[in-house]
Amino acid sequence: MKCVFVTVGTTSFDDLIACVSAPDSLQKIESLGYNRLILQIGRGTVVPEPFSTESFTLDVYRYKDSLKEDIQKADLVISHAGAGSCLETLEKGKPLVVVINEKLMNNHQLELAKQLHKEGHLFYCTCRYARD
């Protein structure tokens, strides 16, 4: 079973959750051979309906004491650009795509993502460009 784990940390990042749970995104994820998507949605107001079919499962939760288990099980992690989430994922050696929240002013997250990308650790994008 191949799994994608999406985390927004303790914040909310509705654009990311809406983007990744849209039907065309789910179709794309499944077509890439993944059959499970776990969404950690934090304080978000976008709350996708969990479902399970023969070929695909969507799980959704707000918080857990630790994300270690979900990161460990994941074959791919898609994360907001919080330092904690990025570093925890990279420590586990998991492929990481960081999505920059453009609605945050003073975007230190972009600087972190750019630096880690330059060092060859991850890929990054925004919700806008993830859709194109």
Side-chain angles (χ1 to χ4, degrees):
M1 179 169 269
K2 280 182 76 179
C3 177
V4 178
F5 175 54
V6 179
T7 176
V8 304
T10 57
T11 61
S12 63
F13 192 174
D14 286 342
D15 286 353
L16 172 55
I17 298 301
C19 182
V20 81
S21 63
D24 56 337
S25 297
L26 294 176
Q27 212 170 9
K28 185 67 170 173
I29 289 166
E30 194 172 355
S31 76
L32 291 169
Y34 296 97
N35 40 26
R36 186 165 185 211
L37 175 61
I38 302 171
L39 302 179
Q40 183 268 318
I41 62 170
R43 290 181 316 194
T45 55
V46 173
V47 185
E49 193 64 43
F51 70 86
S52 196
T53 65
E54 237 172 69
S55 59
F56 197 84
T57 300
L58 173 66
D59 291 317
V60 180
Y61 67 89
R62 286 196 182 277
Y63 301 106
K64 279 185 185 172
D65 288 342
S66 169
L67 302 180
K68 276 187 175 61
E69 192 185 314
D70 287 320
I71 292 171
Q72 194 64 55
K73 316 193 245 224
D75 298 286
L76 171 66
V77 176
I78 300 172
S79 175
H80 73 127
S85 299
C86 290
L87 298 175
E88 195 173 346
T89 301
L90 294 172
E91 276 169 13
K92 296 262 187 288
K94 298 294 181 170
L96 175 61
V97 176
V98 166
V99 183
I100 308 299
N101 188 344
E102 294 181 292
K103 291 187 175 146
L104 292 180
M105 296 309 286
N106 179 8
N107 214 332
H108 62 278
Q109 291 192 350
L110 180 58
E111 298 312 308
L112 175 69
K114 277 182 175 169
Q115 185 59 40
L116 289 170
H117 174 71
K118 205 164 73 178
E119 294 170 11
H121 297 298
L122 54 79
F123 292 100
Y124 71 92
C125 62
T126 61
C127 286
R128 218 177 358 170
Y129 296 112
R131 285 193 200 118
D132 294 342

